[in-house]
Structure formats: structure tokens, C-alpha cells
Amino acid sequence: MSDSYALEMRQITKRFPGTLANDRVDFTAREGEIHALLGENGAGKSTLMNVLTGLYHPDEGEIYINGRRFRFNSPGDAIAAGVGMVHQHFMLVPNQTVAENVILGLRDVPFRLNGRRIEENVQAISEQYGLPIDPRAKIWQLSVGEQQRVEIIKVLYRGAQILILDEPTAVLTPQETQGFFATLDEMRRQGKTIIFISHKLDEVLSIADRITVLRHGANVATVDAAGMTKPELASLMVGRPVLFHIDKPECKPGEPRLLLDGISALDNKGLTALNRLSLTVRSGEIVGVAGVAGNGQRELAEVICGLRATTGGVIDIGQNNVADAPPIVVINAGVAYVPEDRGAVGTAPNLSVAENMALKAYRKPPIGSGLFMDRRLMREQAAELIKRFDISTPGPLTPVRKLSGGNLQKVILAREISSNPRVIIAAYPTRGLDIGATENVRNILVDERSNGTAILLISEDLDEIFALSDRIAVLYEGEVAGVVPGEQADRDAVGLMMAGETPEAETAPAVTTPHTEAAPS
Amino acid sequence: MELALLVNLLAAGVRSGTPILFATIGEIFSERAGVLNLGVEGMMLMGAMTAYGVAYGTGNPWLGVLAAMGIGGLLALLHAFVTVTLRADQVVSGLALTFLGTGLSAVLGAPLVEIRSAPRLPNFRIPFLADIPVLGPIFFDHNVVVYIGFLLIPLAWFYIYRTRPGLELRALGEYPAAADTLGINVIRQRYFYVILGGALAGLAGASLSLAITPLWVEGMTAGAGWIAVGLVIFAGWDPVRGAMGAYLFGAIRRLPLDAQNLTFFLKNPTLGYFMNMLPYLFTIIVLVISSREAMRRRAGAPAALGVPYVREERGA
Ligand SMILES: Nc1ncnc2c1ncn2[C@@H]1O[C@H](COP(=O)(O)OP(=O)(O)OP(=O)(O)O)[C@@H](O)[C@H]1O
Ligand SMILES: [Mg+2]
């Protein structure tokens, strides 16, 4: 037994019905190191970490912490042993406050809660690690980045020595990621062991000390980060060389397919989110929407798809004005939507893969006929799509909630693209996807575009925007701050526009007020 | 309306609202933990019958109360086993429990119907306080169960909002997976609160048959259990609002009885039917209004209400 490891997992095997999620995995981590865990979607990263936190019972294998053997029967045992995890899907109670979430489940809190004391303690930790947060805020009022800070504080508050972070940066803006890395550095300096799951290889190479790669549930390599390169890591993960370059035939834009003219809309809090926005997407081109999160991206997609009311303007998808038309009208006009929220908006979690894939096609022949559906045909078509899009699932009848994040996204793409759309609205289509799947999705989008589909691509990933877009529209405070051709786009110029520092944007405040007031409701 | 009549009505409301209060607070605990129990009516009936029988048999009404709470808890344990462990549908299981309790109490309680002499819980007039005009007779001249009800309201409120286990209880019904990852034993705690809810429903039954309407007849709760289930929603899962609702409904249920003595009604006997309908009409109106209000305050049902928790199951 080796005592130099803060954590040692030996020969961990975990099976789910129809899936071998972890296959005799050995995993070690040292004190004061940041250890990155890589692997494709469904490789078993979250599963391995859930075993470590006592949430899942391994079928086989042993866990040693500082050389001592532990058997975890529940997450409580793991917490007591100093293991804490920030889950891929946040584990926060939405209608409770930050402070309440932090102390939830602690045994040594007095029976009678002392709100003030707890808030002070939370404040102290948040200052020590540079995680600014208002302890009295309710979780549902916080942005995703803030919620993540709460999760980290929660783990630190329990005095965890081993911290697991499951894809913490997938939902962060680039600025937030910078702050997050500073926190990680601070924790490493304090001698904590950090296990960090991510699909973003640049990040991993810049912050990790060592890297472990899982493939199909098995550990294929544990290496020092120094000296590794992106392509090396990628081919370890995928098992074949990965091209980071996308073959994009020349853009031949055709007739306008999606026309937005002076669109205005409010966000969930009732504030102006879109401010007289105008944009055109033509057949055969990808228009990328760049911008700092929260500048109207989400509302833009929802307004087009009929999911959010407008307060003015015209949307034309080759028919009449479809602003405020019900989604079915938009769907029938040939608009496909890959939504930001895959779980709640994109799929019905308890329905099978086949049913989710048929959620658009079931109304019409050949699958739908009158009151009935041809379920056999639905299954066959699903089986074909599973093959074509390389979706890893036990079968077409598996409920989609059992799929890993990446495979869920492929199910949505399969459904949307098989509907032969005229226009695709893709919101963050590769968020949380592994590099193989990302490459796959990007190629699918480029193929669709080359076949004449008009694509509106919303993404916070500038690399993605630059790699795919034929034109780039920069969104700032609900307006298009500028449109630049994708070919010669200059990163710095786009970055400045995103920050609102352009002549157009400078005049914006003056224009904003009359617009919002004049907007008809 | 004369003041004396109003005082009378309100005092009667507090008295006959007490069983509803116990049942409502019990159901609030159960639902806060994420388990809907539609068996309240059945558990109340079994509680009322058991309390009456045990009080008669032993001569001690307090033993009747304990037995009623025990039988309520036992029936709730059955519900917990079926819904929490076997993960069956909570609505179906709860309805079955009500049928079971209604039927079983009728059969087992048949011999008790003839008996009119079981010992009752004592009345207690609180010295000095009961002499305060208006408030005195409304609040301080009652059976002891009414005072137990008074105590339960702040206790339940304090427990839910101001204590560590109360915080865990609230998390349990909102996001059990989060509670589980923090080392809270979701299954055990759900059992606990479902059983607590059953015990309080049993107490509700006992307070009915040993104090409020001291006798046993088949189906004597007359829908009070269902009113409690509805009140939980009206109350937004809050015990203080639940208590106010319970007393209000108590008063409305009494209204037809008291109003019969007014000469106006003696002249128009058909209006009595209208008055009898009022509590139910009122229930519907209140539910409609309060659900809108709850949406505005974001104080809706516990998010995980009705959903069994399975640790290694992915997704909600
Ligand atoms: N609770 C579960 N029930 C059934 N199958 C599961 C469950 N959790 C995971 N799986 C399956 O186990 C495999 C590994 O899943 P896991 O979530 O560990 O992948 P991952 O590496 O974290 O992927 P991602 O990058 O998409 O998050 C997948 O095939 C998944 O479908
Ligand atoms: Mg994962």
C-alpha cells in the first residue's frame, strides 16, 4: 500500500443495466495537486466520482484515503472522510438561501439555527477563497456562475481535503473561468487534492498537474500534464487522431430564410432583453452570434421559436410575420431548434430515445396516421438515427434521462436535422460535449449549411464561432453591435464589440430609451 | 348579527376547527418531506374509532388519544412502505388508505355506536384569561385538545423554519438528491415525517370522538380529512396559515347549525341546504384564489412532491 497518495481507488467496477460504466479503474491523486479527469461523453467520469462520494456503490473495487481503506455506504460517510463534490447538475435547493444550502445536512449545527452566525461564516469562506456571494440571496435568484460558487463554498465549509469538480467550467463565461482558476490555485496552495473534470483541453493543460484519461469506462492513461499536447490528449480520449480543423466548403449564400426586423422583447425579470434587433440569415450560411452571456442570446432564440412574446418587430421565415405565432407554426415553417436547456426544453426525460426522436415527426405520415402511430417504424427510424449520429445508448427504448449529456445532445440534433429544416437555431450546441462529439456536431452543422440550410449559431465559445461562422453578429445589450464576415474577422475587434466599445454601441444608450418606450406591447 | 352570536360562532369555529388543524399540520409535514398522503380521512376515522374504543375499554381518555396516534402512525407506515420503499403511486396508495380506514373503522366500530358513555377529554376554563370579554370565550374556555392545538401551531412553525431538522425537511421535499449528497438519509426521514403526519391525523380523529363531538358514529369525520388535504394547499404548506384556515373552516361548518336558530331561517327552511353547501363552495373559491397567490409568491408545492427518490436513478 502506498502512503504517498491522498487518494487511491483500486480496480473500481460499476455496472448499470446494459452498461459497464467503470471497468476495473485504478485512479490516484496526490496531496496539493490538481488532477484532471478526461474522457468522452459516457466514458464513466461522473460515475467514478459518484462512487468516490458514496452516492453509487461500486460492484467491485477499493478506496483508500491517506492509506486507509474506506467503505462508503452513503455520501455522509464520504463527507466525514473529507471528500466533497460539486456535481455536474447542481445540488442546490432553489427556494432556500445560500447560507441555508451551505449548512444543509451538517450534524454539528445547533438544533436552533442562528441565521446571523451562519451568514458570517459563509461570508468568511467566500472572502478567503475569493468567491463573492450574498449569503442571504435565494438560489433561484443567482446566475449559474454564482450557483457554482455556492457549491464550492458548500464543499469547503465541510472541510473537504479532496474536492471533486464535475465539469465546473462548462457553464461559465470566460471571465468567470478566470476567477474560478484563481480559486483552484488557492485551494492547491492549501494542500487540497482537486479532481477536475472538463472537456476543454486548453484549460486542462493550463491548470492540471496530472491527467487521467478514461475510455469506455477504463483508465487508458495517467500522465503528467507538463509536456502533453492537445492532439495527444485528444487521441488518447477518442482512440484515434482528432482533427481540430473543420473542412468548410466555400459559402454560397442564397435567398434570405430568416429575417428579423426591429425585434424587441423582455427577459424573465421584465427588463429589456432585445432592443430593436435586426438580422438576416440566408440559405447556405452560418451566422454566428457572439456576445457575453446575458446580452439577449437566450431571448433571441426563444423569440424566433415562438417561445417568448415580442414587444415589437417582425420575424419572417419565408412566410408572413411569425412573431408571437405559436411554436407549431414556426415548426411547420421549417425551423429546427437545438435549445440551451437539453433536459427541460430539448427532451422529455422519461420518454424513450425513439419517442424523443419522433417528437416532431409523430404528427405526420409515415409515423403518424390519424389517431395512431406506427411504433415499429418509429423504432426502426430511431435505430437508424442512433447509428448515423453515433449515439451511445443501450437501445432505442431506453428513457433519455439515462443518457450522458453528450448523447442527449445528439438525440436532439438527430431529431431536428432529420426533420429536414430550412432554418436551424442552434444554442450552445456543443456545450458539455467531448471533443469527438463536438467535432461531430460541428461537421453536421457545416454539412447542413452546405446543403442550403440557414443556420443561426449561438455560442459563448469564440473558437467555435470563428471556426464555423460565415458571418459573425456581435450581440451587445440586446442589439446587434456589428456584423463582420467570418473569414477576415479580427478577434480583438469582435472582443471589443462584445464589451460594447464601438462607435455604434456608444450611441446605443441614447437610442435605447426612446426605443423601449416607443415599443408597442 | 348580535355580538353574542358572533362570539358563539367563533368559539365554535375554534372548537370544531381543532381536528382539522391537527390533520392539516400532519399533512404539511408529510408533504414537506415530499410524500402526498390522501389517506388523511381514513386515518382520522380509524383514529376516532380507536380512541373511542380504547377510552371506553380502559376508562382513560388519554390512553385513547395515544392509541389513536399509534393507529394513525401505523396506517401511515403502510403508506410509507408502499410509496417510499416500493415506490408505488402516492395518489393511488393514499386513496386506498382512505377506503381502508373508512371501511375498517365502520366494521370494527359497529359495536361502539350504541355506547354513549366513553370517558371524554376534560374541558378546562383558563382562569382570568377566560374572563376577558369577547376573546375569553372564543379562545380560553375549551376542551384541552383545543389548547394542544394552540401549542402545536408555533411549535410546528418553529420546527419547520428555525431548526436544523426543519431545514432538512424543507430540502427533502424540494430536492431530495441534494439532501442525499449532503449525507441526509432521505428514505429514513421520509418515513419519519409520513408517520408523524399519520399520528397527527390519528390525534385529529381522537380529538373529534373524545372531545369535539364525543361519540362514535360511522363516517363521523364527514370529509374533514379531505378539507385538511385542501387546506394544505391553501396554506402554502405553512402551519400558521394552515391553522387560520382550519379555524375558518370550523366556523363555516358550524354556520348552518347556528344559523338554524335565526328566525329568518326558521321561516325559509330550504335555505338550510344552501348553508350546508357553503363550506364546500368556500373550499373551491379559496383554493382558486390561494393557488394564484402562491404562484406569485413562488411558494408553490414542494418540487419533489409525489416523486419517489431513487439514488442511482438518473434524472428527476
Ligand atoms: N444512474 C444511471 N443509470 C443508468 N445508467 C447510467 C447512470 N449513470 C450513468 N449511466 C451510464 O453510464 C455511462 C457513464 O456515464 P457517466 O455519466 O459516468 O459519463 P461521463 O463520463 O460523466 O459523461 P459526460 O461527459 O457526458 O458527463 C453512460 O453510458 C451512462 O449512460
Ligand atoms: Mg459526467
Side-chain angles (χ1 to χ4, degrees):
Chain A
M1 176 177 316
S2 149
D3 282 5
S4 64
Y5 290 119
L7 166 72
E8 189 172 359
M9 299 175 82
R10 283 196 203 153
Q11 298 288 303
I12 302 287
T13 297
K14 176 70 193 171
R15 295 182 195 90
F16 291 110
T19 318
L20 178 57
N22 286 150
D23 183 8
R24 285 165 288 149
V25 178
D26 287 322
F27 180 83
T28 58
R30 299 193 182 108
E31 197 178 304
E33 86 167 346
I34 295 180
H35 195 129
L37 188 57
L38 298 184
E40 300 187 83
N41 295 122
K45 305 178 295 294
S46 298
T47 302
L48 184 69
M49 291 301 112
N50 281 327
V51 165
L52 178 55
T53 55
L55 203 57
Y56 290 176
H57 267 289
D59 296 308
E60 284 149 43
E62 295 162 4
I63 298 172
Y64 296 86
I65 292 172
N66 294 324
R68 219 183 107 201
R69 168 111 194 247
F70 280 87
R71 282 187 189 80
F72 297 146
N73 287 315
S74 79
D77 297 345
I79 292 170
V83 179
M85 174 157 171
V86 174
H87 289 264
Q88 196 166 1
H89 307 281
F90 291 159
M91 296 289 181
L92 296 169
V93 185
N95 56 4
Q96 292 183 358
T97 66
V98 170
E100 285 176 328
N101 268 280
V102 170
I103 58 153
L104 183 63
L106 285 179
R107 293 288 127 211
D108 49 3
V109 173
F111 178 80
R112 189 190 161 167
L113 297 178
N114 181 341
R116 175 96 50 79
R117 263 266 295 292
I118 298 162
E119 281 157 18
E120 280 168 12
N121 289 348
V122 170
Q123 193 75 45
I125 290 203
S126 96
E127 274 159 25
Q128 182 189 353
Y129 287 93
L131 297 161
I133 200 84
D134 172 12
R136 269 197 284 266
K138 290 253 162 78
I139 298 299
W140 61 265
Q141 297 170 317
L142 303 181
S143 74
V144 181
E146 289 170 314
Q147 294 189 19
Q148 180 169 70
R149 274 177 240 155
V150 181
E151 283 281 37
I152 296 173
I153 291 174
K154 224 164 88 179
V155 172
L156 292 172
Y157 197 93
R158 284 162 174 72
Q161 272 308 308
I162 300 175
L163 277 93
I164 305 157
L165 301 149
D166 196 350
E167 296 194 35
T169 56
V171 291
L172 297 189
T173 62
Q175 294 89 325
E176 284 174 322
T177 303
Q178 283 316 310
F180 171 72
F181 281 163
T183 306
L184 283 194
D185 257 336
E186 172 62 20
M187 295 194 292
R188 167 164 55 188
R189 225 174 40 74
Q190 306 223 346
K192 297 190 187 297
T193 303
I194 296 153
I195 303 168
F196 170 62
I197 301 179
S198 173
H199 291 295
K200 301 182 184 173
L201 299 183
D202 294 313
E203 276 178 17
V204 166
L205 285 170
S206 76
I207 188 127
D209 301 304
R210 289 198 304 154
I211 300 172
T212 291
V213 181
L214 293 185
R215 195 194 312 151
H216 301 308
N219 180 346
V220 290
T222 297
V223 296
D224 284 327
M228 286 303 284
T229 64
K230 226 170 124 177
E232 280 171 342
L233 282 179
S235 60
L236 273 177
M237 283 167 61
V238 186
R240 63 177 164 84
V242 177
L243 306 168
F244 285 93
H245 178 76
I246 294 190
D247 265 335
K248 218 170 69 168
E250 197 193 333
C251 172
K252 297 194 199 80
E255 83 285 358
R257 287 258 174 104
L258 171 67
L259 255 160
L260 302 177
D261 188 11
I263 285 290
S264 300
L266 305 179
D267 66 12
N268 285 347
K269 293 179 190 140
L271 305 173
T272 304
L274 298 179
N275 189 9
R276 292 210 169 176
L277 179 146
S278 299
L279 191 65
T280 307
V281 187
R282 297 168 181 278
S283 154
E285 74 167 350
I286 297 180
V287 175
V289 176
V292 177
N295 273 281
Q297 289 91 331
R298 175 176 167 189
E299 289 81 6
L300 175 62
E302 288 177 350
V303 154
I304 298 172
C305 299
L307 298 172
R308 179 176 292 273
T310 61
T311 53
V314 173
I315 302 175
D316 190 338
I317 356 180
Q319 297 200 323
N320 307 319
N321 180 15
V322 295
D324 298 324
I328 184 71
V329 171
V330 182
I331 291 172
N332 287 339
V335 175
Y337 179 34
V338 180
E340 178 178 3
D341 186 346
R342 291 166 206 163
V345 180
T347 53
N350 286 323
L351 298 190
S352 70
V353 172
E355 284 164 333
N356 269 287
M357 284 175 166
L359 275 182
K360 276 192 161 168
Y362 78 97
R363 285 196 192 85
K364 287 183 289 232
I367 287 188
S369 63
L371 277 178
F372 301 98
M373 292 196 318
D374 185 343
R375 297 187 68 88
R376 157 111 57 88
L377 182 66
M378 184 172 95
R379 256 195 329 270
E380 285 168 6
Q381 290 190 352
E384 257 167 54
L385 288 174
I386 288 171
K387 220 190 282 149
R388 180 171 148 212
F389 286 83
D390 191 22
I391 300 170
S392 107
T393 163
L397 298 182
T398 307
V400 292
R401 72 186 140 84
K402 297 207 170 161
L403 301 194
S404 79
N407 286 302
L408 198 58
Q409 184 72 328
K410 289 191 203 163
V411 169
I412 296 173
L413 275 167
R415 174 183 68 219
E416 297 299 326
I417 285 172
S418 63
S419 70
N420 288 323
R422 301 178 71 243
V423 179
I424 297 176
I425 314 293
Y428 311 97
T430 61
R431 181 186 271 180
L433 297 202
D434 63 54
I435 40 167
T438 299
E439 186 190 30
N440 219 316
V441 167
R442 289 180 181 167
N443 279 326
I444 290 170
L445 288 177
V446 169
D447 283 352
E448 279 300 303
R449 160 254 196 203
S450 304
N451 292 337
T453 311
I455 298 182
L456 186 70
L457 168 73
I458 300 174
S459 175
E460 76 251 286
D461 183 348
L462 271 187
D463 290 330
E464 178 160 288
I465 296 269
F466 277 89
L468 297 185
S469 306
D470 300 306
R471 288 190 297 141
I472 299 174
V474 181
L475 210 56
Y476 179 70
E477 294 197 337
E479 296 179 67
V480 175
V483 180
V484 291
E487 294 285 284
Q488 329 120 25
D490 169 26
R491 256 171 192 272
D492 294 334
V494 170
L496 280 176
M497 278 197 272
M498 284 168 62
E501 290 174 26
T502 52
E504 293 101 310
E506 263 165 28
T507 59
V511 196
T512 309
T513 335
H515 275 192
T516 33
E517 276 169 12
S521 47
Chain B
M1 204 186 281
E2 293 166 57
L3 183 65
L5 206 62
L6 186 65
V7 168
N8 232 332
L9 179 68
L10 291 180
V14 168
R15 192 167 62 242
S16 57
T18 296
I20 305 179
L21 165 79
F22 290 134
T24 303
I25 291 189
E27 183 69 8
I28 287 176
F29 276 114
S30 183
E31 293 192 16
R32 283 267 183 184
V35 183
L36 178 71
N37 190 347
L38 294 183
V40 183
E41 179 83 356
M43 296 186 296
M44 266 181 86
L45 278 169
M46 280 300 285
M49 188 275 296
T50 308
Y52 199 75
V54 170
Y56 177 70
T58 63
N60 184 340
W62 293 108
L63 287 179
V65 171
L66 277 185
M69 293 180 72
I71 198 79
L74 207 64
L75 288 172
L77 171 67
L78 190 68
H79 182 63
F81 178 70
V82 171
T83 59
V84 178
T85 301
L86 301 183
R87 296 172 210 137
D89 188 89
Q90 297 178 2
V91 171
V92 175
S93 168
L95 288 176
L97 194 58
T98 281
F99 290 133
L100 178 74
T102 310
L104 206 59
S105 64
V107 173
L108 297 177
L112 296 173
V113 175
E114 299 300 312
I115 295 163
R116 289 288 145 98
S117 59
R120 303 170 180 184
L121 293 169
N123 284 320
F124 184 69
R125 198 184 137 85
I126 300 182
F128 307 116
L129 287 179
D131 298 326
I132 304 173
V134 184
L135 291 184
I138 295 179
F139 291 111
F140 303 117
D141 186 6
H142 282 295
N143 192 283
V144 286
V145 283
V146 175
Y147 306 128
I148 297 178
F150 289 168
L151 288 179
L152 184 62
I153 303 164
L155 275 180
W157 182 89
F158 183 80
Y159 182 86
I160 292 176
Y161 294 109
R162 288 288 181 271
T163 70
R164 173 168 48 77
L167 179 66
E168 294 176 5
L169 166 62
R170 282 181 285 140
L172 223 49
E174 286 295 336
Y175 198 173
D180 191 20
T181 56
L182 295 172
I184 293 168
N185 191 329
V186 175
I187 304 298
R188 193 161 69 201
Q189 291 217 18
R190 283 198 164 169
Y191 262 87
F192 176 79
Y193 289 111
V194 173
I195 292 172
L196 177 65
L200 284 172
L203 174 62
S207 67
L208 201 60
S209 68
L210 295 180
I212 309 300
T213 37
L215 50 84
W216 162 254
V217 282
E218 185 183 328
M220 71 183 293
T221 50
W226 291 110
I227 293 202
V229 171
L231 265 181
V232 171
I233 304 169
F234 157 72
W237 290 266
D238 176 90
V240 175
R241 287 170 58 106
M244 287 179 347
Y247 292 140
L248 196 65
F249 276 99
I252 294 175
R253 272 162 82 95
R254 287 292 306 198
L255 200 57
L257 295 179
D258 287 352
Q260 274 166 17
N261 299 327
L262 295 176
T263 42
F264 176 69
F265 280 96
L266 290 175
K267 283 190 194 139
N268 302 286
T270 43
L271 277 178
Y273 293 111
F274 178 76
M275 298 296 278
N276 278 327
M277 184 194 73
L278 271 187
Y280 305 99
L281 185 67
F282 195 71
T283 315
I284 295 172
I285 294 173
V286 155
L287 285 182
V288 171
I289 295 173
S290 62
S291 61
R292 286 185 49 178
E293 147 90 4
M295 254 163 67
R296 223 195 61 237
R297 288 185 308 135
R298 270 184 169 264
L305 181 61
V307 187
Y309 178 67
V310 194
R311 181 180 279 171
E312 297 203 358
E313 183 82 11
R314 191 172 252 191

